[in-house]
Structures are given as C-alpha cells and as structure tokens.
Amino acid sequence: MTDAVTLVVFGATGHLSRTKLLPALARVIRDEDVPTHAVVGVGSRSRSDEDFRSVVADSMASEEVDSDAADRFLGGEFTYVSVSDKESYERLASIIDAVEESAGLPGNRILYLAIPPSKLDVTVEGISDAGLGAGAGWTRLVVEKPFGIDLDSAVASNEIIHRSFSESEVYRIDHFLGKETVRNLLVFRFTNSLFEQTWNRRHIESVEITVAESDGLDGRAAYFDESGTVRDMVQNHLTQILTLIAMEPPVRMNAASIHTEKVKVLKAVRPIGPDDAVLGRYAAGSVEAEEVIGYLDEPGVPPHSETPTYAALRLYVDNWRWHGVPFYLRTGKRLAKRVSEVTVRYLKPPVCLFHSEGNCQGHQNVLTLTLQPDEGFELLFDVKQPGPDTSIGQIPLAVRYDDILKSAPQAYETLLADVIEGDQTLFVRADEVEEAWELYQTLLDRTDIDTYTAGTDGPERAESLIVSYPGVWTPL
Ligand code: BG6
C-alpha cells in the first residue's frame, strides 16, 4: 500500500485529462492500492463539483476502465475550482485544505499541470503565491510536455518553478518514457552484451528513428497549431528515444545517473544546419483507404497557418562512440500508417568474399526495434540459400512481445505510479529539457514547409537527408 494522496489536476476537463490522465489515475489508485484519495479539478471555466464528477465518470466509460477501478476512483471526493486571479488561487488553497481535512488525508499532494505551455508560468506563480506546495506531507509537481515553447521559455519556466520547488519535487512528463517498449530499450541494450559490443561507429552505419502517425489532429487543432511537430513530437518523444539509443551505460540505474548520460548525448549533437531537416504539412489524401482533408482545411486551423505536421532530420552525435554515424529522425501526422520503430543498420563486412555475376552478394544486418503497435524486434541476417550455388539470402529473426506485453500498463499508469512512489527515473530533468530545446532552436522559425499527400510516407525531399546505404527511409 502506498501513501494517501490529494490529486490536484489543472486542466482537469481538457482532452488529455479525459482521454489519458483520469482513466490512468483510476487504474493506478486501484493497482497501487492507494488507501484514500481526493481529486480537486482546476480549470478556467466554472463548473459544479457534480458536473466535474460526471466528466470524470464519462472518461472512465470511454477509456474502458474496468468497473472495479472506476468505482474505487469515483468513490473518492471530487471538487472543482475555477481559477483566474490571485484570490481564486487562495480560495483553491483553502478548498484543498478543507478537502484534506474532511477526507482525513495527510496532505501528500500531486499537483498535475495538464495545461498548455502558455499557461505554465502563470499557473506555477499562482500555485506558489497561494502556498499550494506547502501541504502537511510531500508535494510533487507534474508538468506535461511540451515544457515551454523554446529555449528561453523553458529556462524561464524552470526558474519560476525552482523558486518554490526543488528539482526533486518536479516531474516533467514525456509519456513515451512510460511505454513498455521504450523502457525496454535500456534493458535490451545493457543486459544483452551481444548488441552492446557492436553499438558504435565501428559497426553501425546509421540509426533511423520513426514515429509515424496515421491520425490527424484528433480534435486538438488549437493546441497543435500553436505547437507544430517540432514542439509536439521532436523536441520530446523522438529526442528521448534518441538519447536512450545513443547514451553510454549509466553508472547505476537511477534517475540521476540516467539523466546525466542523456544530457551528455544532447550536448554532443552537432548543431542542425539548414540542409539537415525537412519540414512538411499534409494535403488532402487517403489514409488507410479513407479520404481525409488537408491540414489547412482542418476545423480550427487558420487558413494561412505555417505549422508543420511532419519533420525529418539528420543528426550527428559527435562523441567517440558515434562520430560520423547519421541518426535519422522522422515523424508526422497523416502518414501511411502508425508505427514507431528504431532501425539500426550495421556496416557490411570489410571484404566481399561472395560474388555473383561480378556483384558483391550480401546485405547489411538490420536490427529493427518496433516500439508500437506490433511491439518486438527483428534482426535481418544473411544465410546461404539451399542449393548447389552459393547464393545468399536475407532472413529475419523476429520476436513479438505480444504475449509478455498483454497485461502491460499504459504509459500514463506507469508514470503516475512512479510519481506516487517518488521515482523520477522516467521523467525529464531541467537541464535535459533545456538542452533539447537548444538543439532544435533553429527549426522553430522555419517557414520552408513542403507539402505531402496524406497517406504517403511524407515529402519526397526528405530522401535528400539520407547519406548512407540504402539512401532511402524505411518504407512505412
Ligand atoms: C502526444 C502528442 O504527446 O503524443 C500527440 O501531443 C501524439 O500529437 C501523441 O499524437 C502520440 O502518442 P501515442 O502514445 O498515441 O503514440
């Protein structure tokens, strides 16, 4: 059994809360056996407590939370407070005190900020001025991604947060870090000496990281058009995968050691030049046999929007392990299919011993780590084709995690359980988030955005980034 908690959720009725956070909280409260809880929803619009509770109840139904978890969660106390000015934050503080007293809670507070970056500073200041972080127990401040909109804003937000919270109380969320397959990257690398021995520039020709989505905006035009793909996906999700693939073995498997190694990777990435990135925006097309409209026609998107929905990049990690190895990163909405994977291409042997009609036979070894949806990994290697000739073919050695992953928790459940337990390993440290912004700063204002047809693999110009064999992105 863990500590009893007061969950104070800012942006409590927003899209993220309804679709991910509240259902995950319900499961975690049950699975972690949290003895007592109360939920205080906070937002800018006014709502009654009853109204809030029914939003929460609906979110349980739409995410298919099992009735046991939903009943237990809804059995807690639910209160809703709208905030706008200093007085309203003070009112929020006294309401939280009153809720804790009436529910017999010890004052352990999770302040969860499921709000856009534009509201972060003002919310943290409101929280600090009203003393919300000074409960009778521990306080943990959870901040959703993107953390800031660029380097300056991230530095400023960190500074404002650190005025009232120590770094050990801050949990910057990137939900990809809670995915089982992303967590598995470190286990895969650091327990299988087979791979780690070859995980460097002497054996690897290139690494490709793809997070492709077939979905469009999913009703989030207002948020997405302000953010765009670089802020929404590249600065966080893809960069986190990059650091886990490229980092050195940490001294220990704890938050401080892992964060330190990840920061070193980010510091080693060569500045991104104009020819190292291609941005794109989808036009109308057909995705998985369904006609879809283009980005500029999506409801809520301004007709002259300059927001990219796709990004492809070529990065170099200039350290001893990786010097000269291109890391290709690609993500986009309304692409041909939904898949997140890491493709590691090994160098061919130095001498070609098998020829056929003057051509060297043999292929690269290719390791593909599929993060979603068909989680697993595949290693392509060469074998002799049966028969009198020496003809070489490539066959896969493939493993699907289906069986072991069946009961795996969702990313948000894993991360919320870690917040309750006070484990920061799967969260992003202040200097890490700043390094990541610094890296992509030059991409944020780019207005050269190619068009791609929805349902394809993205803009053709993205092929120009590939400088290693086979000279094309892995087809989606
Ligand atoms: C979110 C982004 O962080 O991640 C979304 O804001 C994106 O735009 C989503 O669709 C992808 O996450 P998942 O877990 O559905 O792959």
Side-chain angles (χ1 to χ4, degrees):
M1 196 183 288
T2 51
D3 295 339
V5 288
T6 313
L7 304 156
V8 185
V9 184
F10 293 76
T13 57
H15 184 273
L16 177 76
S17 293
R18 284 181 282 115
T19 56
K20 303 270 186 203
L21 182 55
L22 294 165
L25 274 172
R27 294 194 193 102
V28 168
I29 297 280
R30 193 264 317 272
D31 295 347
E32 294 290 301
D33 203 11
V34 174
T36 336
H37 66 279
V39 183
V40 179
V42 186
S44 48
R45 270 191 288 154
S46 61
R47 262 179 207 283
S48 67
D49 295 348
E50 266 324 295
D51 192 23
F52 176 49
R53 176 190 284 274
S54 76
V55 170
V56 179
D58 288 350
S59 77
M60 302 291 112
S62 61
E63 281 299 302
E64 294 175 5
V65 179
D66 67 63
S67 59
D68 173 43
D71 291 349
R72 182 162 171 171
F73 188 53
L74 292 167
E77 197 159 327
F78 284 80
T79 313
Y80 187 86
V81 184
S82 70
V83 290
S84 52
D85 52 11
K86 195 169 172 356
E87 284 70 45
S88 56
Y89 276 93
E90 280 162 7
R91 198 165 64 85
L92 171 62
S94 44
I95 289 174
I96 295 173
D97 287 341
V99 164
E100 286 174 343
E101 201 181 321
S102 83
L105 286 159
N108 298 319
R109 294 178 182 172
I110 295 178
L111 308 176
Y112 197 113
L113 309 189
I115 53 175
S118 54
K119 292 194 177 157
L120 178 59
D121 294 355
V122 65
T123 305
V124 174
E125 279 166 347
I127 286 174
S128 303
D129 292 347
L132 292 193
W138 49 252
T139 300
R140 293 177 188 145
L141 182 75
V142 187
V143 188
E144 262 299 334
K145 66 141 271 272
F147 185 92
I149 55 164
D150 56 15
L151 176 60
D152 286 350
S153 63
V155 170
S157 297
N158 275 332
E159 204 264 320
I160 291 172
I161 287 174
H162 288 153
R163 278 186 220 153
S164 317
F165 295 91
S166 69
E167 183 60 21
S168 63
E169 293 174 311
V170 186
Y171 293 70
R172 291 175 198 77
I173 277 217
D174 181 317
H175 80 278
F176 266 52
L177 289 175
K179 289 182 188 277
E180 280 293 311
T181 42
V182 175
R183 296 176 67 198
N184 186 41
L185 290 176
L186 291 188
V187 176
F188 186 87
R189 283 193 54 198
F190 299 131
T191 62
N192 298 300
S193 54
L194 173 66
F195 295 108
E196 191 51 24
Q197 303 305 319
T198 58
W199 211 251
N200 55 50
R201 67 192 170 85
R202 285 184 299 284
H203 302 278
I204 290 179
E205 184 183 67
S206 67
V207 177
E208 191 181 315
I209 298 171
T210 292
V211 179
E213 298 185 279
S214 51
D215 278 356
L217 298 186
D218 199 17
R220 298 157 73 224
Y223 156 77
F224 187 85
D225 196 65
E226 255 187 42
S227 302
T229 288
V230 178
R231 292 184 174 93
D232 185 49
M233 300 293 289
V234 178
Q235 189 269 350
N236 28 73
H237 302 329
L238 278 92
T239 303
Q240 287 301 327
I241 298 171
L242 166 74
T243 56
L244 296 174
I245 292 293
M247 68 187 257
E248 294 302 315
V251 176
R252 294 204 172 68
M253 274 297 156
N254 61 26
S257 306
I258 292 175
H259 293 159
T260 298
E261 294 307 333
K262 286 162 74 186
V263 169
K264 283 194 211 160
V265 172
L266 296 175
K267 281 185 190 293
V269 177
R270 195 183 296 174
I272 300 169
D275 296 335
D276 293 327
V278 171
L279 302 180
R281 182 185 304 119
Y282 62 85
S286 147
V287 181
E288 289 160 354
E290 203 185 301
E291 298 302 310
V292 300
I293 55 176
Y295 180 74
L296 296 178
D297 296 322
E298 295 276 9
V301 170
H304 301 296
S305 166
E306 295 196 324
T307 301
T309 61
Y310 170 98
L313 291 99
R314 178 180 57 223
L315 302 180
Y316 288 95
V317 181
D318 278 335
N319 60 17
W320 280 60
R321 186 190 280 260
W322 293 116
H323 183 80
V325 177
F327 281 77
Y328 303 112
L329 274 56
R330 162 178 68 163
T331 183
K333 297 209 178 281
R334 288 290 190 225
L335 292 174
K337 70 172 191 206
R338 176 175 184 258
V339 63
S340 298
E341 63 188 15
V342 178
T343 308
V344 180
R345 294 180 197 281
Y346 283 83
L347 290 163
K348 282 186 166 189
V351 175
C352 180
L353 293 177
F354 300 94
H355 294 270
S356 148
E357 292 163 13
N359 294 324
C360 176
Q361 285 203 70
H363 315 85
Q364 291 181 293
N365 292 123
V366 180
L367 172 67
T368 303
L369 302 160
T370 305
L371 307 176
Q372 59 186 26
D374 292 320
E375 293 88 348
F377 65 88
E378 180 186 85
L379 179 61
L380 293 180
F381 61 103
D382 278 0
V383 290
K384 181 185 170 305
Q385 307 268 36
D389 301 335
T390 306
S391 160
I392 294 179
Q394 204 174 27
I395 58 165
L397 178 67
V399 176
R400 294 280 157 244
Y401 295 151
D402 262 10
D403 294 338
I404 20 180
L405 281 182
K406 243 175 214 144
S407 61
Q410 301 288 313
Y412 270 95
E413 289 170 58
T414 300
L415 296 174
L416 287 164
D418 284 357
V419 174
I420 292 175
E421 280 161 23
D423 182 350
Q424 289 181 302
T425 309
L426 299 177
F427 296 82
V428 185
R429 201 167 67 186
D431 52 344
E432 195 180 343
V433 84
E434 290 175 11
E435 288 293 343
W437 277 122
E438 185 161 3
L439 189 55
Y440 301 114
Q441 203 60 26
T442 55
L443 287 185
L444 297 177
D445 299 324
R446 269 179 63 163
T447 49
D448 54 325
I449 298 175
D450 292 20
T451 299
Y452 61 98
T453 305
T456 64
D457 285 10
E460 280 168 22
R461 205 159 60 90
E463 297 294 347
S464 69
L465 299 172
I466 309 282
V467 292
S468 57
Y469 180 83
V472 289
W473 293 92
T474 307
L476 293 177

